[in-house]
Amino acid sequence: MRGVTLPELLIVLVLVGIAASIVTPPLGRALDRAAVGEGADRYSTLHETARALAIARGRHARVELDSARHQAVIALRRTPTQWDTVDARPLGRSSFSASRVIMTFSPLGVGFGASNTSIVFSAGVAAETVTVSRTGRLKRY
């Protein structure tokens, strides 16, 4: 019977450890970039959905960011002081910070209170900024 000796086993374990230490940092950065991209994509989709909903329904719509729950909420105006929640979606595992947490769209699709709003998604060493223009359109950097 032929078996594996202890020195052979140790050499293999050292080589696997070296290979893992070389591969792990780039893999972690790639996962961070993917999480940030996912968060920005999800927010972009919800932002455009709220804008299209305001136009389609002929009512004010808004997107409200909740950083504690890592989610965004779309709501339609029922009365001047009441909003009906239409949808609440998670924004992924990346964290985010926003200069304004509520963006409102008129029935024409124009953004109110959203001019130059910046939302920064970050995870680890990766970050991406989504900026809302004066008209309510998005720019991603």
Side-chain angles (χ1 to χ4, degrees):
M1 292 194 325
R2 172 139 162 73
V4 179
T5 64
L6 183 60
E8 291 172 335
L9 185 61
L10 289 176
I11 289 172
V12 169
L13 287 176
V14 167
L15 291 175
V16 168
I18 290 171
S21 68
I22 292 171
V23 171
T24 301
L27 180 62
R29 287 190 296 271
L31 291 173
D32 290 342
R33 283 192 305 270
V36 166
E38 175 192 21
D41 287 343
R42 286 183 180 202
Y43 176 75
S44 298
T45 302
L46 287 169
H47 183 90
E48 291 302 320
T49 301
R51 187 170 184 268
L53 198 59
I55 295 168
R57 299 278 175 95
R59 294 175 20 196
H60 285 82
R62 74 178 184 186
V63 177
E64 184 174 353
L65 297 171
D66 185 357
S67 59
R69 293 184 178 151
H70 291 275
Q71 73 176 5
V73 176
I74 297 175
L76 283 172
R77 178 178 274 171
R78 184 177 359 153
T79 66
T81 58
Q82 292 181 330
W83 293 83
D84 291 330
T85 300
V86 176
D87 197 5
R89 296 287 171 117
L91 293 176
R93 73 172 183 88
S94 64
S95 60
F96 63 89
S97 62
S99 57
R100 290 186 184 99
V101 294
I102 297 176
M103 274 82 40
T104 305
F105 298 98
S106 75
L108 298 175
V110 178
F112 290 124
S115 180
N116 298 323
T117 298
S118 294
I119 304 153
V120 179
F121 292 90
S122 60
V125 296
E128 186 171 342
T129 302
V130 176
T131 304
V132 182
S133 73
R134 188 175 325 139
T135 60
R137 303 222 182 237
L138 293 179
K139 296 177 186 175
R140 288 177 64 173
Y141 300 103

